[in-house]
Amino acid sequence: MLKALAPEHISDGILMLLLGSLCLLFILFITIPLAVVFLNLDIEKVTFQLRNPQILSALTVGLVTSFTATVASFIFGVPTAYLLATRKFPGRAIVDTILDIPIVLPPAVAGVALLLAFAPRGLLGPALREFGVVLPGSTFAVILAQVFVGSPFLLRSAKAAFENVDRAYIDSAKILSASRLRVFFTITLPLATHGLAAGTIMTWARSMGEFGATLMFAGNLPGVTQTMPLAIYMLLAEDPIASNVLSAILVLISFSVLALFRLLGRRRYGARL
Amino acid sequence: MIKRPRRLLLASFVAALMAASLVAGYVYYIQASKVQLRIFASSSLTNLFKEYELRFEGRHNVDVVLNLASSNALREQIVEDLPCDVFASASTAEMDLLRSRGLIFQNRSRVFAYNYIAIAMPADNPAHLQTIEDLSKKGVRIVLADFKTPLGNYTSQVLSKIESSWGDRESAYYQNPAVEKYRAKVLANVVAYEANAQQVVTKVMAGLADAGFVYFSDVAVRGVKLQAISIPPELNVKASYQIAVLNDAPQLRLALAFVDYVFSEEGLQVMRKWGFTDVEGSGS
């Protein structure tokens, strides 16, 4: 009985059939919901919705915040990644791990953590208020939430890219007594471009899609903190088509991000996640 | 060291993104440079206050920002010192709490509308519910508002009233065994407790539940999207909506103007349109 089930008794045909059907089910499970997002839409509905003020303001807030968050992640993330990739110092592994935590952290936890730290009654809130800054309910809070959850993608990717730069190039440049800055800009940075670009794109996409931490920390104010995912959530009942159009926009953005990501060649120069 | 066509593609993507962000930034800048009036309102007031927003913005050079959530969540945000000009609560309790903390301008809040509880079903009524007692049948999928929200609190009161009036053999209004232990039977059918009134309506409207306890105003204006069972006055609860200006209102003058607008002839007319009972109409 059991012998019949032994691996060598199962023919290749059956095996392929089994694998094929599992694969097919999986593909359907992912594609059907994505396709349905576009099924109810036509040009007329889309152009009409693109004049809907709530959609426009969600697009505006979403683009402004995700762009700023990406730039900020880049400014802080790339030097950090460079240091982590090229310097050995005590506690490096710990720092490395801590900075990656937001990738696996539930966004709701990120929201609570940011509130506890920056809300008016939080740890740093009273000090911030001395300067007239109240973060929750402000666009800046959206950016902070996005940097918190989005920057690790850039950090990881940039770190891997810097690590994969062949030491030999750098050493030979140093033999030619090039300055450290010159080596960085003429050798390290160009060789790491792929990884940096891929990481930047992923961070931007993640910022664009941020929902949980934004909702909890920044709130849900149209025109101020309501990004696209929040608008999708809020419009679901009253204006399902608006919600649908916004979802379609985000699916398209996600798709182009991934397409670009593939074109960048994920295996070369550490452009991976 | 990216190959040329790829570099071109990447560059054009980044350029498009930056252009879009710049345009968005400009639009945002124009919007943000307007004075903002922040109004925290119970989610059950969503439709009404969205219309108030449009009309008020037409009269004053101001950007009304609505923060719509359950009144208890909003009250918490106000206690947490989030900037807020006007608070419109679905229950007296939340307002009293703020007043006791000295957060209300001149300690003055006013009742501006009344509401009642009703039962809502999806437009196709999949569970074929006709009467209040049908909700106690096994297998009916019900959504309620979380009991900490005003709607949840009112719902809880209504369930108890139905049980003690229609479901109590000692009561003069006793109906039949189906309504006995009504509260427990309905609670056993609950598939989700939602964070605010708007979410209950969303779930029912999307057909994710067979029925939900909502505000009367929610079913009054959604004739085609929802079916409703009304709850007779003797079993119902009257929800009083209160509005107040906050002591720390960043835009005090505009906040007071907004409250005045709500009580204006036009404000009350819009309120009736969205299924609320205005203060004058109810005679109290």
Side-chain angles (χ1 to χ4, degrees), chain A residues 20-268:
Chain A
S21 42
L22 282 176
C23 176
L24 187 70
L25 278 177
F26 186 51
I27 292 172
L28 286 177
F29 174 68
I30 303 290
T31 25
I32 288 175
L34 288 176
V36 172
V37 170
F38 295 94
L39 220 59
N40 299 322
L41 298 179
D42 53 50
I43 292 292
E44 206 177 314
K45 278 182 190 162
V46 174
T47 47
F48 178 76
Q49 287 300 339
L50 285 178
R51 272 173 269 142
N52 179 338
Q54 197 168 357
I55 288 202
L56 283 181
S57 79
L59 270 169
T60 308
V61 174
L63 281 172
V64 169
T65 53
S66 60
F67 183 75
T68 319
T70 309
V71 171
S73 301
F74 195 89
I75 292 172
F76 291 98
V78 173
T80 311
Y82 183 73
L83 280 183
L84 287 172
T86 55
R87 293 283 175 281
K88 279 209 166 95
F89 53 87
R92 186 176 73 161
I94 298 172
V95 173
D96 210 4
T97 314
I98 289 176
L99 292 180
D100 276 348
I101 286 179
I103 288 186
V104 287
L105 196 70
V109 180
V112 170
L114 287 168
L115 274 177
L116 288 175
F118 297 114
R121 310 242 158 173
L123 184 67
L124 303 171
L128 284 170
R129 209 159 47 169
E130 293 290 303
F131 299 97
V133 179
V134 177
L135 284 177
S138 71
T139 310
F140 193 61
V142 180
I143 297 169
L144 288 186
Q146 291 176 350
V147 170
F148 192 84
V149 295
S151 59
F153 291 94
L154 177 58
L155 192 73
R156 273 170 77 103
S157 196
K159 212 170 57 198
F162 287 136
E163 274 165 3
N164 284 2
V165 172
D166 199 335
R167 283 299 301 181
Y169 294 125
I170 294 169
D171 290 339
S172 42
K174 279 190 178 153
I175 290 169
L176 299 170
S177 66
S179 75
R180 179 164 287 168
L181 210 59
R182 198 181 156 89
V183 172
F184 179 78
F185 280 109
T186 53
I187 297 174
T188 317
L189 198 60
L191 286 175
T193 322
H194 268 80
L196 291 181
T200 308
I201 293 166
M202 287 311 283
T203 292
W204 176 70
R206 182 68 187 82
S207 301
M208 197 79 166
E210 218 302 308
F211 177 78
T214 308
L215 182 65
M216 296 191 71
F217 178 50
N220 184 19
L221 308 177
V224 183
T225 70
Q226 194 175 78
T227 56
M228 279 184 259
L230 294 175
I232 290 174
Y233 180 66
M234 289 309 283
L235 288 168
L236 193 59
E238 290 308 320
D239 201 346
I241 297 172
S243 174
N244 195 333
V245 168
L246 265 184
S247 306
I249 294 175
L250 281 183
V251 172
L252 284 180
I253 290 177
S254 309
F255 180 78
S256 33
V257 162
L258 282 182
L260 201 69
F261 198 72
R262 283 192 83 90
L263 277 170
L264 285 172
R266 42 173 61 207
R267 271 174 298 281
R268 295 177 56 209

Side-chain angles (χ1 to χ4, degrees), chain B residues 124-175:
Chain B
D124 57 347
N125 194 2
H128 310 292
L129 305 172
Q130 305 294 338
T131 62
I132 294 177
E133 62 179 75
D134 285 350
L135 273 80
S136 64
K137 282 183 196 158
K138 258 208 162 105
V140 178
R141 296 161 52 83
I142 297 174
V143 279
L144 299 184
D146 189 289
F147 285 161
K148 285 191 284 298
T149 67
L151 175 59
N153 181 16
Y154 297 137
T155 303
S156 170
Q157 291 180 41
V158 167
L159 291 176
S160 300
K161 275 191 176 184
I162 294 172
E163 175 166 329
S164 62
S165 173
W166 285 6
D168 184 355
R169 283 174 193 272
E170 310 289 304
S171 157
Y173 304 99
Y174 176 74
Q175 297 260 324

Side-chain angles (χ1 to χ4, degrees), chain A residues 54 60 63-64 67 120-121 129 134 136-137 139 190 193-194 204 220-224 233 237-238 260 263, chain B residues 1-2 6 9 13 17-18 21 24-25 28 36 38 47 50 65-67 79-81 83 198-199 202 205 222:
Chain A
Q54 197 168 357
T60 308
L63 281 172
V64 169
F67 183 75
R121 310 242 158 173
R129 209 159 47 169
V134 177
T139 310
T193 322
H194 268 80
W204 176 70
N220 184 19
L221 308 177
V224 183
Y233 180 66
E238 290 308 320
L260 201 69
L263 277 170
Chain B
M1 299 291 167
I2 301 172
R6 287 183 182 174
L9 193 91
F13 184 82
L17 185 63
M18 285 177 96
S21 300
Y28 175 77
Q36 286 184 347
R38 298 201 169 198
N47 291 320
K50 275 190 176 168
V65 176
L66 291 180
N67 186 9
V79 170
E80 290 284 324
D81 281 349
Q198 183 71 5
Q199 285 304 309
T202 303
M205 216 141 68
R222 294 187 182 84

